[in-house]
Amino acid sequence: MSAKQNILGVTRDDLTDFFTQHGGSAFHAKEVMEAVYRNEQRDFSKITAITERYRALLEEHFTIALPKIVKVQGSEDTTRKYLFQLEDGRYIESVLIPATPLEDGTRSERMTVCVSSQVGCAYGCKFCASGLDGLTRNLTSAEIISQLVAIREHSGRHITNVVFMGMGEPLANFKNLNPALDIITGHWGLHLAPRSVTVSTSGLVPMIRKLAERENQVSLAISLHGATNEVRDKIMPVNAKWDVDELFDALHYFASTNNQRITLEYILIKGINDDLEQARILAEKAKKLGGFVNLIPYNTVEGLEWERPSDAHCKLFRDTVKGLGVMTTMRLEKGHDIDAACGQLRLKEMKKTAAEA
Ligand code: SAH
Ligand code: SF4
């Protein structure tokens, strides 16, 4: 691997420091950021807004590297799944999700990308494909940003929303997540509204507090999947470290610093967490928090025995939560389960590679 740094992981402040140390100034950083993000310039030698000397300096210290696109699944106007290969040969995946058409047939402009934050995951939730082999490594800030840049270039779409719901636990990689969030939301960077960027976590309590203290506040989603310790303990080992009460204390703290509603993600797994008593407790907690609930009928994972409840039961669960006055969404459409759950495309590719070896 080259010793040069991928510029896609560098914030404007850091680039300013770099130029200042080399006789330049904030002006140079501003021009370079504009060339890279606004003009999609991929060749430093063509950034004519700065002089030859600074172009040479850039080439000496930086690269602009995008991950290799191994596979794209799905088509225009539908959810498109990208499998990427990183410089060290590891696979990660990201998903481009256009807004579903509104009832009158029109489409909103919303174009969401779901990104990965790690290769694998250390948290080992029992239902999840990403955690099956544990954590391999953190993604660098550049590897996080380059998923967005690569998808923007490949699809030609303007990205309006980003969710950290791909592989990995973003809050376990806070040191690289934090600058990546600056680059995504910076007006000099990808320039997304902070509230359109959502970090999803399985419940790393101290890091939720840290995220709350960020200057540019992003939105938060919690993979709750159980409304009580009894249920959560069965499926999410992280609950042994920070239980439901500690988690909700941190969520109330987050809510007090941020006026965005927190999303409570709740996968429905047959016979595990789909009891209507859970729906009632979930609704009560969501209401107190002023959050909303997103119900996700479980996507089966090859090799795991979990199943999704019947559509009728999912609806009943939803109506129970809704009936208690909580904003609730649930998507039941099919096709969503074509490798839709995070980590599954990568799993397939790894199995294929192993079979071919
Ligand atoms: N580690 C973070 C970010 C990953 S988000 C987190 O857990 O929040 C990935 C989301 O997909 C999580 O809400 C996770 O619980 C959910 N998920 C994992 N496996 C799934 C499956 N088989 N079906 C539906 N959702 C799943
Ligand atoms: Fe990791 Fe999130 Fe999957 Fe749990 S749900 S194993 S935290 S990626």
Side-chain angles (χ1 to χ4, degrees):
M1 257 189 271
S2 69
K4 292 186 189 179
Q5 193 180 356
N6 188 351
I7 202 158
L8 295 176
V10 178
T11 63
R12 189 181 63 174
D13 284 354
D14 288 342
L15 197 61
T16 299
D17 287 349
F18 169 82
F19 277 114
T20 312
Q21 280 161 22
H22 290 84
S25 68
F27 163 80
H28 299 98
K30 177 179 161 288
E31 293 298 332
V32 171
M33 285 300 178
E34 193 163 313
V36 170
Y37 290 103
R38 194 157 322 148
N39 305 336
E40 302 188 20
Q41 182 53 262
R42 298 290 166 262
D43 181 350
F44 293 140
S45 72
K46 293 196 177 131
I47 306 181
T48 49
I50 59 173
T51 57
E52 167 71 40
R53 166 172 137 68
Y54 291 108
R55 290 199 292 269
L57 202 62
L58 272 180
E59 295 204 55
E60 189 187 335
H61 293 269
F62 298 97
T63 58
I64 304 187
L66 293 177
K68 186 173 146 204
I69 299 179
V70 180
K71 191 183 273 176
V72 183
Q73 214 176 51
S75 53
E76 291 265 352
D77 294 331
T78 60
T79 295
R80 241 182 294 177
K81 209 156 183 180
Y82 288 82
L83 182 71
F84 292 116
Q85 190 167 33
L86 304 173
E87 246 186 293
D88 65 353
R90 309 283 184 194
Y91 296 106
I92 53 166
E93 53 192 83
S94 327
V95 190
L96 175 67
I97 311 156
T100 41
L102 303 172
E103 267 158 29
D104 63 3
T106 59
R107 249 173 204 287
S108 93
E109 292 298 301
R110 183 189 290 219
M111 193 58 69
T112 305
V113 176
C114 170
V115 292
S116 294
S117 56
Q118 299 182 308
V119 181
C121 179
Y123 285 81
C125 302
K126 304 242 167 90
F127 47 80
C128 176
S130 295
L132 285 178
D133 293 325
L135 174 69
T136 304
R137 67 173 177 84
N138 279 330
L139 294 187
T140 62
S141 311
E143 286 168 333
I144 295 173
I145 298 300
S146 63
Q147 296 169 60
L148 296 165
V149 173
I151 290 182
R152 184 169 81 169
E153 282 193 6
H154 179 270
S155 68
R157 297 304 183 92
H158 174 67
I159 299 167
T160 62
N161 293 65
V162 172
V163 294
F164 282 82
M165 293 187 183
M167 205 191 329
E169 171 48 60
L171 292 187
N173 183 15
F174 194 80
K175 76 173 190 300
N176 296 331
L177 173 73
N178 203 37
L181 293 177
D182 288 338
I183 298 167
I184 294 169
T185 59
H187 63 87
W188 43 267
L190 289 168
H191 201 180
L192 268 74
R195 55 183 293 177
S196 329
V197 181
T198 302
V199 172
S200 178
T201 176
S202 58
L204 275 63
V205 162
M207 304 318 280
I208 291 172
R209 292 177 183 273
K210 226 167 159 173
L211 191 69
E213 282 152 17
R214 254 184 66 85
E215 207 172 289
N216 245 340
Q217 285 195 328
V218 295
S219 301
L220 181 66
I222 300 297
S223 292
L224 192 63
H225 312 329
T228 57
N229 285 327
E230 194 206 341
V231 171
R232 226 173 172 255
D233 277 336
K234 279 197 287 200
I235 50 180
M236 300 182 74
V238 69
N239 202 60
K241 214 158 180 184
W242 298 287
D243 69 12
V244 172
D245 289 341
E246 289 169 289
L247 176 58
F248 274 85
D249 281 350
L251 297 186
H252 280 274
Y253 175 70
F254 191 94
S256 73
T257 66
N258 186 312
N259 50 18
Q260 278 297 108
R261 277 178 196 280
I262 294 175
T263 308
L264 300 176
E265 307 276 346
Y266 199 101
I267 304 180
L268 290 165
I269 312 175
K270 192 174 174 179
I272 301 292
N273 65 356
D274 62 343
D275 196 287
L276 295 184
E277 183 59 15
Q278 287 293 308
R280 285 186 275 271
I281 302 171
L282 171 64
E284 192 187 304
K285 290 191 183 304
K287 216 166 168 180
K288 252 195 217 148
L289 182 65
F292 73 86
V293 170
N294 185 26
L295 297 172
I296 312 145
Y298 184 66
N299 283 303
T300 45
V301 174
E302 227 180 289
L304 296 181
E305 81 261 37
W306 316 90
E307 288 171 39
R308 75 159 66 179
S310 67
D311 284 5
H313 187 77
C314 290
K315 285 181 183 154
L316 192 58
F317 194 98
R318 177 195 58 196
D319 293 344
T320 307
V321 180
K322 246 186 171 165
L324 291 165
V326 177
M327 248 164 72
T328 310
T329 52
M330 180 172 79
R331 292 199 307 187
L332 270 177
E333 83 265 25
K334 306 287 182 238
H336 199 242
D337 40 16
I338 311 166
D339 300 319
C342 296
Q344 295 192 34
L345 196 60
R346 163 179 170 264
L347 204 66
K348 263 199 187 155
E349 192 65 25
M350 281 166 49
K351 279 187 185 154
K352 203 174 96 193
T353 315
E356 284 164 2

